[in-house]
Amino acid sequence: MRLTIIAILVSLTIISCSTGGDGGDPYEATPSPLVIPQLFQDKLIDPVIPADNPQTVEGIALGRKLFFDPILSGDGTQSCSTCHNPENAFTDPRQFSVGIDGSIGTRNSMPIFNVAWNFNELFFWDGRATSVEDQAFGPVVNPVEMKNTWPNAVASLQADSEYPDLFLAAFGTSTIDSTMVTKAIAQFERTLISANSKFDKYTRGEVELTPSELNGLNVFLDEGRGDCFHCHGNPNSPLWTDNIFHNNGLDASFTDRGRGMVTGDPREFGQFKSPSLRNLAYTAPYMHDGRFATLEEVINHYSEGLVYSETIDPLMKTVSAGGVHLTEQDKADLKAFLLSLSDPSFISNPDFQDPN
Amino acid sequence: MKKIALFAMIAMVAMSCNNDDDNSSTPVNVDFLFTHNWDGSAIENSDFEVIQYTNAHGEELSLSKLVYLISDITFTNANGDVYDAGDYNLVNVREETNLMFTPNIQVPPGDYTVSFTFGFDDEDNIDGVYQDLNSADGGWNVPMMLGGGYHYMRMEGKFIDNTAAEVGYAYHAIRAADASTTPITLQDTSFEVNLGTVTIANNTEIEVKMNVAEWYDNPHEWDLNILHTVLMPNFDAQVMMSENGATVFSKGAVTQN
């Protein structure tokens, strides 16, 4: 017992020493905790925010400026927003994005929203990035995208008339490095929250769905028809994705091995991350290679276009007949339901537009 | 630095003192280790996606996913005292997550009958209320049109059907639901697993073994050719899964470290 008291005393001493001891608190920008939509608060676990990159007013503002600023690219012509346009729920309406030197990528850009609720924290179609911060290192130096080097990008920011002060305000130092750049961008990206679609309003009891949308929801949830919910969420899991990798039967053989290229595991060849079905109204074309221009094509794929390959997901049914062959009515209703997941207030949110 | 070392030493001394004082009657936590086998051969991550098992009916099959929910681990002693934390655990065999689970309850050392529920019984199977389950695996939920609540198990893979084709299967266990009646007919198909008597002491770990082959046998020899998909809305299939489940789990090693 006496020993315990001594231990407590000693530890108290240590704690008080370390707070007062080394002269001056570390710089802290103005906290700006994520505003979590009530729906997510009710249904989901907390968003992922790394302890070493808390949301701050200054960090978010800096990240937003960087996201829309072509200064990060090799020749000053391309920003993140070139391929992640707010109007398109932060993706690119082109099938393949074009880099600064005209190179064309092989994958469709991805929308950016609700990234803090990607609990697995695997980003890109193949999950090769392991956090929002980590992801942001990639595009700046990707030869088919912004084709810069980090030392060069950092030097451009350092030489700029505004950025050193903005980094000082956000991180307490005007000596810029790539880690701070990615942290600021990640803070901005975490604010890109979409939770106000027609369907969200329906869940909140504010609006009714049409009979067609309601039947579409049933098709989506019916294991014998759409059975989409085992990968793309459900009304109680309103992210509308599992953020897991699957082969949804697009091809008999793969030109792009997807997840399998990252892990080297042949069991994962041809798997890609299930995208969220929010905001489909703005995110065409669809799939990792943007092969489908319309939702009709997507629905036809699942209904009768499935193709067998060794890693195809077991949930893809009646593959030998191309799928379960939905009726035309069910297809139209499924489409109507999918569109009810789009959120106009997300793409028009003034906080998400170009500040420059 | 020296201070921290001193503190650590004192703290260690203090803790070991505590342990010596009261080791025999202080309530303790109990750890559960979930292991999986096919008729005795251990199932590891590398066993997934390999067509290597043959079920009682004779179909060759693979596993691609095996995730299941257990709840209400309960300790009952000879006096009839019942200790039940009322919590739950979602085991993901392929991803090897939550293979170890410690219910949030402490029990006085002694002999107990240990049991748990496979899935959620009706009392716990409340639609949408568990945020961690809503967030797991893209939503562990059962659609409202099937009565809502949560999956008990998702077992998926491929099998060779009677035309020699490789076909996907989705053996999903939920509360049995017949949506063709008004109102919907629901039957609680979760079931209690009794592991028998275990002596609980400080640091007891109980292995719970799942023999996956038993899902396909005893009392119902499962024919995947007929029952491989759309099993969630199939009331009779759910009842059969529940009955087959009775022989799936058993107590493995009990260790006291």
Side-chain angles (χ1 to χ4, degrees):
Chain A
M1 191 57 200
R2 207 186 302 152
L3 282 180
T4 314
I5 291 174
I6 293 174
I8 290 170
L9 279 171
V10 171
S11 62
L12 279 171
T13 315
I14 291 171
I15 293 167
S16 48
C17 284
S18 61
T19 40
D22 42 56
D25 294 331
Y27 176 79
E28 270 187 35
T30 318
S32 175
L34 269 195
V35 181
I36 303 178
Q38 191 62 44
L39 179 67
F40 290 5
Q41 187 82 59
D42 292 346
K43 303 282 187 190
L44 301 171
I45 57 175
D46 289 339
V48 182
I49 297 168
D52 66 354
N53 192 23
Q55 299 286 113
T56 66
V57 172
E58 295 82 0
I60 294 165
L62 171 58
R64 176 176 171 192
K65 185 172 167 63
L66 287 166
F67 189 91
F68 287 95
D69 194 337
I71 193 170
L72 289 177
S73 64
D75 63 356
T77 61
Q78 193 170 70
S79 66
C80 308
S81 64
T82 307
C83 310
H84 298 283
N85 183 347
E87 260 176 64
N88 301 102
F90 290 89
T91 185
D92 189 337
R94 296 170 292 185
Q95 178 175 17
F96 300 118
S97 305
V98 181
I100 60 164
D101 66 356
S103 318
I104 296 178
T106 55
R107 290 184 184 161
N108 186 226
S109 182
M110 303 176 81
I112 304 176
F113 51 78
N114 302 342
V115 289
W117 283 266
N118 179 338
F119 306 115
N120 303 327
E121 287 195 89
L122 296 176
F123 295 91
F124 286 123
W125 284 106
D126 55 18
R128 67 186 183 279
T130 54
S131 68
V132 186
E133 284 79 0
D134 179 30
Q135 191 287 327
F137 279 104
V140 173
V141 295
N142 188 324
V144 301
E145 295 183 350
M146 300 162 97
K147 202 179 182 179
N148 206 347
T149 64
W150 272 109
N152 193 49
V154 167
S156 308
L157 293 169
Q158 199 70 67
D160 186 82
S161 61
E162 293 175 61
Y163 277 110
D165 285 345
L166 297 175
F167 277 86
L168 180 64
F171 298 109
T173 168
S174 53
T175 308
I176 300 170
D177 67 22
S178 57
T179 302
M180 287 190 290
V181 174
T182 60
K183 281 185 170 179
I185 291 176
Q187 285 185 41
F188 170 63
E189 290 176 300
R190 289 195 175 93
T191 67
L192 303 176
I193 297 172
S194 173
N196 199 29
S197 65
K198 181 177 184 189
F199 195 87
D200 297 321
K201 293 179 184 165
Y202 166 73
T203 308
R204 299 195 300 251
E206 296 164 14
V207 299
E208 296 284 310
L209 294 184
T210 65
S212 168
E213 289 163 342
L214 280 171
N215 181 52
L217 170 62
N218 281 349
V219 174
F220 185 90
L221 295 173
D222 184 346
E223 213 190 352
R225 289 186 288 170
D227 192 10
C228 316
F229 77 101
H230 278 118
C231 299
H232 285 295
N234 67 76
N236 281 317
S237 190
L239 301 171
W240 303 101
T241 174
D242 60 3
N243 283 312
I244 296 175
F245 304 89
H246 305 274
N247 167 356
N248 65 343
L250 292 170
D251 295 302
S253 61
F254 313 118
T255 47
D256 184 341
R257 287 177 169 175
R259 183 69 184 149
M261 203 154 65
V262 176
T263 62
D265 187 340
R267 299 177 297 175
E268 296 174 334
F269 285 177
Q271 291 187 349
F272 294 88
K273 188 167 71 175
S274 313
S276 172
L277 302 185
R278 278 182 182 275
N279 298 316
L280 291 172
Y282 322 117
T283 62
Y286 307 106
M287 304 298 167
H288 70 273
D289 54 4
R291 68 177 64 191
F292 296 135
T294 65
L295 286 179
E296 281 82 358
E297 288 173 60
V298 172
I299 291 171
N300 287 338
H301 160 70
Y302 284 112
S303 174
E304 55 252 354
L306 299 177
V307 175
Y308 174 84
S309 60
E310 210 169 309
T311 58
I312 190 170
D313 197 281
L315 295 177
M316 297 293 115
K317 284 185 263 301
T318 335
V319 178
S320 57
V324 297
H325 293 258
L326 298 172
T327 66
E328 291 308 310
Q329 186 65 54
D330 280 352
K331 286 184 186 179
D333 293 346
L334 180 56
K335 180 184 171 195
F337 160 71
L338 292 176
L339 290 174
S340 78
L341 301 173
S342 291
D343 176 356
S345 71
F346 174 69
I347 61 168
S348 64
N349 189 325
D351 294 341
F352 301 162
Q353 313 300 320
D354 186 350
N356 300 310
Chain B
M1 190 56 209
K2 218 184 284 166
K3 272 186 196 162
I4 294 176
L6 177 67
F7 167 60
M9 275 170 60
I10 293 175
M12 273 161 63
V13 174
M15 281 187 320
S16 47
C17 285
N18 263 347
N19 279 355
D20 292 346
D21 286 345
D22 35 25
N23 56 4
S24 58
S25 59
T26 314
V28 294
N29 283 111
V30 184
D31 300 327
F32 288 81
L33 174 68
F34 295 87
T35 68
H36 310 86
N37 67 86
W38 184 282
D39 281 337
S41 120
I43 299 172
E44 314 283 348
N45 172 287
S46 59
D47 293 307
F48 282 79
E49 306 284 7
V50 185
I51 297 195
Q52 56 171 326
Y53 304 116
T54 306
N55 68 15
H57 190 261
E59 281 85 49
E60 293 174 70
L61 60 99
S62 67
L63 293 165
S64 65
K65 182 180 188 99
L66 181 54
V67 183
Y68 63 96
L69 179 73
I70 64 102
S71 62
D72 281 344
I73 292 188
T74 303
F75 304 87
T76 310
N77 68 15
N79 300 334
D81 300 328
V82 176
Y83 298 83
D84 172 9
D87 48 10
Y88 53 84
N89 185 38
L90 187 69
V91 181
N92 188 324
V93 182
R94 182 169 180 175
E95 305 298 329
E96 298 174 352
T97 52
N98 298 339
L99 296 179
M100 186 69 99
F101 178 60
T102 307
N104 186 22
I105 194 167
Q106 299 193 316
V107 301
D111 287 350
Y112 292 88
T113 301
V114 179
S115 62
F116 65 86
T117 301
F118 174 75
F120 269 154
D121 61 19
D122 275 355
E123 194 188 329
D124 292 330
N125 203 6
I126 306 162
D127 192 60
V129 300
Y130 305 102
Q131 290 161 324
D132 52 350
L133 296 178
N134 300 343
S135 307
D137 226 2
W140 189 244
N141 315 81
V142 169
M144 213 48 217
M145 62 208 248
L146 291 177
Y150 292 87
H151 284 74
Y152 303 164
M153 178 169 74
R154 282 179 66 172
M155 174 161 61
E156 297 167 11
K158 311 265 174 69
F159 74 103
I160 309 295
D161 77 0
N162 51 19
T163 68
E166 193 179 300
V167 174
Y169 71 86
Y171 189 113
H172 288 194
I174 63 169
R175 164 169 53 197
D178 181 353
S180 71
T181 63
T182 316
I184 186 170
T185 307
L186 298 175
Q187 181 179 319
D188 186 348
T189 37
S190 70
F191 54 87
E192 189 188 291
V193 176
N194 189 332
L195 296 173
T197 307
V198 179
T199 303
I200 308 284
N202 211 351
N203 301 322
T204 301
E205 180 186 295
I206 302 172
E207 182 194 7
V208 178
K209 301 203 289 190
M210 176 196 272
N211 180 357
V212 176
E214 285 293 321
W215 286 113
Y216 294 96
D217 195 13
N218 190 15
H220 306 285
E221 197 177 283
W222 199 271
D223 184 352
L224 277 173
N225 291 290
I226 301 166
L227 296 171
H228 64 279
T229 189
V230 201
L231 302 180
M232 290 176 70
N234 184 334
F235 189 97
D236 296 336
Q238 291 304 326
V239 173
M240 280 167 30
M241 288 178 196
S242 178
E243 288 168 358
N244 277 7
T247 49
V248 162
F249 293 96
S250 61
K251 181 176 71 184
V254 176
T255 55
Q256 325 270 3
N257 314 303

